[in-house]
Amino acid sequence: MTIRPLSVLTALLYSQLYLLPAHAEESLSLSSLKEMSLEDVLQVEIVSKKTESKNSAAGIVSVVTHDDIKRYGANNLADVLNRVTSIYMLSTYIWSNSTAAVRGDALTHVNNHTLVLINGRPFRDSAYGGLNETMFRDFPIHHIEQIEVIRGSGSVLYGSNAFTGVINIVTKKQQDNALTLRGRYGSFNTGQVESEFAWKNDEAAITGTVRHRASDGWLFSAIDENNQPANFRNDDGDISASLWGEWKDFNFNLFVVNNQHNHWGSVPIGSGQPIENERLFFDTGYKHQINKHWLSTWNITFNKFSQNYDLPVQGQLYLTDLYENNVLFEQTHFFNFFEDQLNFLVGGLVEWREGGVTQMSQPNTLAPYTSLKSSIYGETSYSLLDNLKLSVGGQWHRFDNLKAAPQGVIDNGEATEGVVGRTGLVYEFSSNLGAKLLYNQAYRSPSAGELGANSSLVQGNRNIKPELIESSDAQIFYHTQDYQVSLTAFRSRVSNLIVRVPVANTNPVRLQYSNAGSAEFEGLELETEAKLFEGLSWKGAYTFQTNRDENNQNNKTQMPNHMAKIGLSFDATPDLQISAFDTYFSAAKVVPTSLAVNPAANSYHNLSVNTNYRLDSWLGFAHTKHITFTFYLENLLDEKFYYPEFNRKIINTIPASPGRSLFGEMSIEF
């Protein structure tokens, strides 16, 4: 595959690697991790935008550490997230590894009910509002220090899309000077090279990872909507880089990627089409400690996205280009009093968005748009007792279209405004036992596509309102130095769902976006983690969820009702680590009207095995810190499983797995 101009930046990043000193100690070695308790490790920032204990935070949070990623292995971020409590990662016919369905919520193939953050800053797109494929496929996972996942809403502090889940990717920071080179090769002629580096002095620090990956891809074979066979290899190639830097009170985050691969198509017909994504995320921030009670932070976040693929119009394929630029300015002020017993924050933001979708030789699918989003938010937490904390917060938001609506798009000319809130109680009965009661409201603003689409098949509607959700959570948790367990019950109700309804007297039938229907979700989550004895650790989770529509009919979504996730890791020797992880999903639901042309989305186990073996002492390479060989075996049981086709719902399923695959990796740390 050809590499476009975005790769120039990556090449420049590679050239900087050789300027780094090739010495120093690891910032967090395996032995030091063994000595840390689970309580030491599980600190989060995602719930209240400040560091706090996972157990005392007023949110339901799962944490994946850098050590978890290293122990259990993965090819990409999607593999890692698929092991998190209540997350079901799946692909669609147009985007692969693109959807993180949290607690059974996946109503369309756009992942617009889950918000992704990088170091607390929003990774968003405005055209469709949830195109996370480049993050889940291409983010360099070795640059991750920790992943924090809110299972539930987060709109009070993070705004739109923080609906049923928020995923915060925390990158490595403040590492000692180091350089790591990695090479990986495996099934389907998949090759990957990667460089990870870190440098710091008394005033500045930088860490980063640069990655290139290419693969022939596995053979995709299915029956399409025309009842014809579709066979193609979903080959891919990407170049990506993630950087974090700091100088005095200034910091920045960068994620840049160019991804090219084959997908089934914009509709599941035919035998594969090329698609290309280019994405740039950049955030720069400044923090200032005004006095001992007041900390102020200021951020500018830029999200740029382009995508091109072929879109069929009356049987003909036309090149379609999506482009968008989104700039966000945000300030947040943190206050604390009475020895940290009273904390509150206030903040506000404005976000300017522009973009469009053009089609060669056809009218614009999405006419150029410009919009402005603004919000003001605040939250207070107060320790009513030494072991009882109350949190209350709210957000006001407004959305303005700055361009006239395209011809045919309904528009009353009014801005959209709304308010959401949340409250929570965290009570710790003892130093080991506690409980949480939480109530959250959240929203999902209509995307530019839903507001202004103007194709021959789909018509936008600027009068639609944001989707809304109200959710309640009750959790009881118990933790010791080496053991953690929590049990959570949740219930949520979604209203103002944005759907597509037929427009009267149109031939062929044209669809228009509208608010219609609702959904209810409820379930239980059990999450455990333990150091069983010296060298042996365990991670486990079980989720039951059920959902129904506005007519009280079960299975509004097609997502599995049951998920079970179990990991076991053993440090056999100081140099050898062996781990296994099994993710189980019950059968996905069937749309009665869909064509049963492909195998059913039955229940399945995806069992992976990962082995890390340090070779440096055996080889006697004293000038390096570590030389490690990693062997990663995915889908050990060689199961063929399928995802439900939950968007168009014309055919029943799409292929999800090529079967068993293996990969070997060599890393050298300097």
Side-chain angles (χ1 to χ4, degrees):
M1 288 187 167
T2 59
I3 302 301
R4 298 185 65 178
L6 187 61
S7 63
V8 174
L9 175 59
T10 307
L12 292 174
L13 293 174
Y14 263 119
S15 70
Q16 299 302 307
L17 298 178
Y18 301 98
L19 302 178
L20 298 172
H23 62 277
E25 298 299 320
E26 291 178 294
S27 61
L28 188 62
S29 67
L30 181 60
S31 59
S32 64
L33 268 171
K34 289 181 184 178
E35 295 169 359
M36 296 175 70
S37 70
L38 295 177
E39 295 169 280
D40 292 330
V41 174
L42 300 182
Q43 300 286 311
V44 299
E45 297 180 3
I46 189 172
V47 176
S48 61
K49 295 196 172 189
K50 66 181 182 68
T51 302
E52 59 189 328
S53 164
K54 167 181 174 283
N55 293 316
S56 64
I60 308 301
V61 186
S62 296
V63 177
V64 180
T65 67
H66 168 66
D67 183 60
D68 292 331
I69 297 172
K70 183 177 180 181
R71 282 179 179 275
Y72 294 106
N75 283 318
N76 50 41
L77 183 56
D79 291 343
V80 178
L81 291 174
N82 211 31
R83 298 170 186 151
V84 174
T85 307
S86 295
I87 289 185
Y88 178 46
M89 294 297 305
L90 65 162
S91 298
T92 68
Y93 51 84
I94 186 170
W95 297 299
S96 64
N97 292 325
S98 59
T99 298
V102 182
R103 292 177 166 177
D105 182 5
L107 294 166
T108 76
H109 63 171
V110 178
N111 196 202
N112 53 26
H113 285 181
T114 303
L115 177 63
V116 178
L117 310 171
I118 301 177
N119 290 321
R121 306 304 304 155
F123 179 80
R124 273 203 187 96
D125 66 281
S126 56
Y128 295 109
L131 303 184
N132 293 325
E133 179 185 44
T134 51
M135 170 61 70
F136 298 150
R137 286 174 61 104
D138 303 316
F139 192 89
I141 60 175
H142 290 107
H143 194 220
I144 297 174
E145 182 64 35
Q146 179 166 288
I147 303 171
E148 305 165 355
V149 179
I150 293 179
R151 308 191 312 269
S153 304
S155 280
V156 165
L157 297 185
Y158 296 111
S160 180
N161 299 73
F163 203 77
T164 51
V166 185
I167 300 169
N168 185 28
I169 309 301
V170 182
T171 62
K172 294 178 180 178
K173 306 169 185 175
Q174 294 291 346
Q175 303 280 300
D176 288 334
N177 298 352
L179 171 65
T180 301
L181 304 177
R182 293 186 178 88
R184 189 178 183 93
Y185 184 78
S187 298
F188 320 114
N189 195 29
T190 302
Q192 179 176 303
V193 291
E194 183 178 81
S195 296
E196 178 186 349
F197 58 92
W199 172 87
K200 72 175 182 178
N201 63 17
D202 293 339
E203 292 187 335
I206 188 169
T207 66
T209 302
V210 183
R211 190 188 83 160
H212 172 62
R213 181 182 184 275
S215 176
D216 290 344
W218 52 280
L219 181 62
F220 183 102
S221 181
I223 301 298
D224 70 10
E225 289 183 356
N226 292 334
N227 205 27
Q228 298 297 311
N231 298 282
F232 64 93
R233 287 200 172 273
N234 55 358
D235 63 317
D236 68 271
D238 73 70
I239 295 180
S240 60
S242 172
L243 290 176
W244 171 89
E246 185 177 65
W247 176 69
K248 295 184 177 179
D249 291 330
F250 295 90
N251 63 76
F252 76 90
N253 298 279
L254 170 72
F255 173 51
V256 60
V257 59
N258 174 281
N259 172 280
Q260 303 172 58
H261 64 96
N262 278 339
H263 68 154
W264 199 344
S266 54
V267 293
I269 296 174
S271 289
Q273 301 290 335
I275 184 171
E276 181 177 19
N277 299 284
E278 288 190 346
R279 193 126 189 194
L280 170 64
F281 163 90
F282 180 76
D283 175 81
T284 183
Y286 172 75
K287 62 181 179 180
H288 181 58
Q289 189 75 50
I290 296 173
N291 57 45
K292 67 178 182 179
H293 300 295
W294 182 4
L295 172 67
S296 178
T297 64
W298 305 71
N299 287 85
I300 298 175
T301 306
F302 177 59
N303 279 283
K304 182 181 179 66
F305 181 44
S306 66
Q307 182 181 82
N308 62 74
Y309 56 91
D310 289 325
L311 182 69
V313 178
Q314 297 180 349
Q316 298 294 318
L317 292 175
Y318 294 93
L319 181 64
T320 301
D321 285 296
L322 178 156
Y323 67 94
E324 60 178 79
N325 297 285
N326 310 287
V327 181
L328 180 151
F329 173 74
E330 182 173 6
Q331 57 173 309
T332 309
H333 303 276
F334 302 84
F335 302 89
N336 69 87
F337 301 98
F338 308 117
E339 298 180 344
D340 216 30
Q341 286 188 307
L342 173 63
N343 291 270
F344 65 91
L345 68 85
V346 292
L349 63 84
V350 291
E351 183 175 13
W352 180 78
R353 304 169 171 181
E354 69 161 12
V357 179
T358 61
Q359 232 179 320
M360 186 178 296
S361 304
Q362 289 289 315
N364 291 332
T365 307
L366 173 59
Y369 64 87
T370 304
S371 61
L372 187 70
K373 181 185 175 184
S374 52
S375 68
I376 299 172
Y377 56 86
E379 184 166 70
T380 300
S381 65
Y382 180 62
S383 298
L384 301 172
L385 303 169
D386 288 341
N387 56 352
L388 178 63
K389 184 175 74 172
L390 171 67
S391 297
V392 179
Q395 184 195 98
W396 167 86
H397 50 271
R398 176 187 172 102
F399 185 89
D400 292 272
N401 288 297
L402 302 182
K403 279 192 174 183
Q407 184 177 1
V409 173
I410 299 173
D411 185 11
N412 61 14
E414 297 179 0
T416 301
E417 296 186 22
V419 176
V420 293
R422 73 180 185 183
T423 185
L425 276 173
V426 181
Y427 183 63
E428 298 186 64
F429 301 100
S430 68
S431 59
N432 303 112
L433 179 65
K436 300 181 182 183
L437 288 174
L438 309 172
Y439 172 76
N440 283 277
Q441 296 175 329
Y443 69 98
R444 200 273 291 180
S445 296
S447 68
E450 292 164 332
L451 294 169
N454 196 30
S455 72
S456 60
L457 299 177
V458 181
Q459 182 178 354
N461 180 357
R462 288 197 175 179
N463 292 348
I464 54 177
K465 303 300 182 183
E467 295 180 335
L468 302 174
I469 186 171
E470 293 181 273
S471 59
S472 302
D473 297 86
Q475 182 184 81
I476 186 167
F477 58 87
Y478 178 79
H479 59 97
T480 66
Q481 182 173 344
D482 294 326
Y483 188 81
Q484 297 233 6
V485 61
S486 64
L487 179 65
T488 307
F490 64 88
R491 185 170 187 173
S492 60
R493 185 179 189 278
V494 181
S495 58
N496 282 1
L497 281 172
I498 298 174
V499 299
R500 294 187 290 191
V501 298
V503 178
N505 302 318
T506 56
N507 186 22
V509 175
R510 198 178 191 195
L511 301 176
Q512 183 178 68
Y513 288 102
S514 179
N515 292 113
S518 62
E520 292 187 5
F521 298 80
E522 57 188 10
L524 291 171
E525 300 165 324
L526 176 67
E527 190 171 43
T528 67
E529 186 170 359
K531 295 182 178 180
L532 301 177
F533 55 79
E534 180 63 28
L536 183 64
S537 59
W538 154 287
K539 291 178 73 76
Y542 167 75
T543 300
F544 167 76
Q545 71 81 23
T546 184
N547 59 83
R548 51 191 171 271
D549 64 15
E550 62 276 7
N551 299 316
N552 210 32
Q553 298 295 309
N554 288 332
N555 304 316
K556 173 74 172 180
T557 75
Q558 296 172 253
M559 302 302 105
N561 292 130
H562 302 272
M563 309 179 208
K565 306 182 179 188
I566 300 172
L568 199 63
S569 181
F570 181 55
D571 297 328
T573 72
D575 294 325
L576 177 62
Q577 187 180 81
I578 304 171
S579 306
F581 205 106
D582 181 46
T583 54
Y584 166 79
F585 299 99
S586 63
K589 306 308 173 185
V590 176
V591 176
T593 56
S594 65
L595 302 173
V597 293
N598 295 308
N602 294 322
S603 62
Y604 68 90
H605 291 266
N606 188 358
L607 176 62
S608 62
V609 176
N610 191 66
T611 302
N612 296 313
Y613 183 57
R614 287 180 174 170
L615 304 173
D616 42 303
S617 57
W618 180 61
L619 295 173
F621 287 175
H623 64 279
T624 60
K625 288 195 294 185
H626 293 298
I627 301 176
T628 304
F629 176 74
T630 297
F631 178 77
Y632 180 61
L633 176 58
E634 187 173 25
N635 195 359
L636 175 65
L637 304 179
D638 199 25
E639 294 203 26
K640 305 295 191 294
F641 47 89
Y642 289 76
Y643 294 136
E645 202 296 272
F646 61 96
N647 188 55
R648 289 166 63 89
K649 302 177 182 178
I650 296 175
I651 58 175
N652 58 338
T653 62
I654 63 173
S657 166
R660 185 183 300 117
S661 56
L662 13 132
F663 304 88
E665 178 181 284
M666 187 73 74
S667 66
I668 304 175
E669 303 174 33
F670 295 94

